Amino acid sequence: MDFAPILISLKTASLSIVITFFLGVAAAELVFRLKNNNLKMILDGIFTLPLVLPPTVAGFFLLYIFGIRRPIGKFLVDYFSIKIAFSWSATVLASVLISFPLMYRAARGAFEQVNPDLLSAGRTLGMSEWRIFWRVQLPVSGPGVVSGAVLAFARGLGEFGATAMIAGNINGRTRTLPLAVYSAVASSDMHTASQYVAILVCISFIVVVFMNYFSMKERKR
């Protein structure tokens, strides 16, 4: 069994969850604080869109934006020598795009469960909104936010469609575990495919256990 897809997947999922966590929490806080319901609805739709789009469509948009013959992709190559499409960076980009909505919705749901009186008490004590967020809101909503991060990590690890579109299936460079399963089955190597599947199933089971653990902590709160 080739271990490269395992390492590539773990590297991709690890970096993407760091990016997704901060982007998702920031987006959730932005929407949570908005007073305009119409604007809130529009932003929520935009942030959630990758969750309902077929992954191949999301990958098509990424390829359309970052392809080397497209303005942004060409600009990055010409001026910074950065090639996104069909590189390892593309696997991270695809993973972030697909897992972001899960992180965003989990964080937003957790923020909305925070008792508004706690936030008001912080303002009464003269705390800034930034300090209220870090000292009150985020710690109280912690289990829900972490649960979303765990789910987003698993989603990023299992991403297939968008990754295939923007990163391709290059052995040793962009071939992640899901792509390795597909390649092994396509070449009738069911033994190798079953090994990769077993690894993905084990990781998914661990994710479910962690999600249940943090969900129980949230209910106790």
Side-chain angles (χ1 to χ4, degrees):
M1 181 178 64
D2 184 10
F3 288 95
I6 302 173
L7 297 176
I8 292 171
S9 288
L10 290 177
K11 284 169 55 182
T12 298
S14 298
L15 179 56
S16 67
I17 190 53
V18 173
I19 299 172
T20 302
F21 179 84
F22 287 104
L23 288 179
V25 169
E29 176 66 4
L30 171 64
V31 174
F32 175 71
R33 296 283 182 179
L34 281 177
K35 303 300 182 183
N36 188 318
N37 288 329
N38 291 329
L39 182 57
K40 180 180 291 190
M41 182 174 61
I42 292 171
L43 286 179
D44 183 75
I46 293 173
F47 292 151
T48 308
L49 191 59
L51 184 64
V52 296
L53 281 176
T56 50
V57 174
F60 170 82
F61 281 119
L62 289 178
L63 188 60
Y64 192 83
I65 294 171
F66 293 102
I68 58 174
R69 295 184 180 179
R70 295 296 168 181
I72 295 178
K74 191 173 186 301
F75 173 80
L76 292 175
V77 171
D78 291 344
Y79 292 94
F80 299 99
S81 299
I82 298 175
K83 181 176 177 290
I84 300 295
F86 304 105
S87 68
W88 178 73
S89 299
T91 67
V92 177
L93 188 63
S95 181
V96 168
L97 178 66
I98 298 300
S99 61
F100 169 81
L102 297 174
M103 184 68 242
Y104 157 72
R105 296 198 69 84
R108 183 185 170 190
F111 292 163
E112 290 175 346
Q113 296 300 316
V114 176
N115 190 338
D117 292 339
L118 293 175
L119 306 181
S120 299
R123 296 186 184 100
T124 302
L125 294 172
M127 297 173 66
S128 65
E129 293 297 323
W130 181 257
R131 193 176 180 192
I132 289 173
F133 174 76
W134 286 106
R135 298 293 296 274
V136 181
Q137 184 177 324
L138 192 59
V140 172
S141 59
V145 173
V146 174
S147 178
V150 172
L151 184 60
F153 174 84
R155 183 65 188 87
L157 188 71
E159 166 49 33
F160 175 83
T163 303
M165 289 291 291
I166 183 67
N169 187 12
I170 306 171
N171 188 26
R173 289 181 58 194
T174 65
R175 180 173 293 174
T176 57
L177 274 171
L179 289 169
V181 172
Y182 174 81
S183 299
V185 172
S187 61
S188 300
D189 188 357
M190 301 303 291
H191 177 69
T192 300
S194 64
Q195 290 178 317
Y196 288 136
V197 167
I199 293 171
L200 284 170
V201 169
C202 288
I203 294 174
S204 299
F205 178 76
I206 293 172
V207 166
V208 171
V209 170
F210 271 103
M211 282 183 57
N212 289 336
Y213 171 75
F214 288 111
S215 296
M216 288 174 60
K217 287 190 67 175
E218 192 171 19
R219 284 196 296 269
K220 287 180 181 180
R221 282 176 177 262

